[in-house]
C-alpha cells in the first residue's frame, strides 16, 4: 500500500500577481524572507512577516489578518513551510512557486525599503 501526502496548492507568479493586485485584491501578498532580504527588494504591495517570527509564534501583521494569503520567499522553499504553518493555524494560505526569483524574472516590479528599484538578495 502506498501513502500519498497531499501537497498544498502552489501559485505561479502570474497567478499570485492577479490574486494580490488591482483595486480590490482578493489576497494579501505575504513576504516571509528575513529583514535584510526584504529591505533589498520586495514586491511593491507585499506585507512583511519573516518566517523566523512566524515559527516563533509571532502574529501576522494587522493588514494580513483574516485575509487570504499568497506567501512568497526568495525561491519558494520557505514560503511552502510558511503556508503550511499558517494553514495549520487556520489561515487560507498558498505559496508562490519560484518566489521572488520568479517574480523578478517575469519582469514584475521589485522595490527596496524606500520604494526605489530593488534587488533580490
Amino acid at each position: 500500500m502506498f501513502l500519498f501526502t497531499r501537497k498544498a496548492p502552489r501559485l505561479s507568479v502570474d497567478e499570485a500577481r492577479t490574486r494580490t493586485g488591482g483595486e480590490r485584491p482578493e489576497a494579501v501578498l505575504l513576504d516571509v524572507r528575513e529583514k535584510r532580504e526584504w529591505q533589498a527588494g520586495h514586491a511593491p504591495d507585499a506585507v512583511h512577516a519573516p518566517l523566523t517570527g512566524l515559527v516563533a509564534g509571532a502574529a501576522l501583521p494587522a493588514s494580513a489578518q483574516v485575509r487570504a494569503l499568497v506567501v512568497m520567499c526568495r525561491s519558494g522553499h520557505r514560503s511552502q513551510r510558511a503556508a503550511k504553518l499558517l494553514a495549520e493555524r487556520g489561515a487560507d494560505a498558498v505559496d508562490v512557486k519560484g518566489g521572488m526569483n520568479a517574480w523578478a524574472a517575469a519582469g514584475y516590479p521589485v522595490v527596496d525599503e524606500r520604494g526605489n528599484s530593488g534587488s533580490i538578495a
Side-chain angles (χ1 to χ4, degrees):
M1 177 199 294
F2 294 97
L3 296 176
F4 295 96
T5 57
R6 185 174 176 198
K7 290 192 174 193
R10 303 186 79 194
L11 299 180
S12 69
V13 291
D14 295 330
E15 292 167 320
R17 188 160 193 230
T18 297
R19 288 192 63 191
T20 62
E23 289 183 30
R24 291 188 175 171
E26 66 183 72
V28 172
L29 185 60
L30 186 71
D31 191 318
V32 297
R33 295 174 303 142
E34 295 306 311
K35 184 176 181 177
R36 69 170 182 75
E37 294 173 288
W38 167 265
Q39 290 171 332
H42 56 273
D45 294 323
V47 173
H48 188 222
L51 177 59
T52 53
L54 295 173
V55 168
L60 288 169
S63 60
Q65 292 179 6
V66 195
R67 301 269 321 269
L69 302 170
V70 173
V71 186
M72 185 177 309
C73 65
R74 184 180 57 190
S75 65
H77 297 292
R78 287 176 283 177
S79 60
Q80 279 186 294
R81 184 173 175 204
K84 181 179 181 205
L85 173 73
L86 292 166
E88 288 170 354
R89 293 182 185 172
D92 176 5
V94 296
D95 83 294
V96 179
K97 293 182 283 190
M100 284 301 298
N101 288 332
W103 180 273
Y108 295 139
V110 176
V111 296
D112 68 11
E113 65 181 327
R114 295 189 175 130
N116 299 317
S117 182
S119 63
I120 308 305

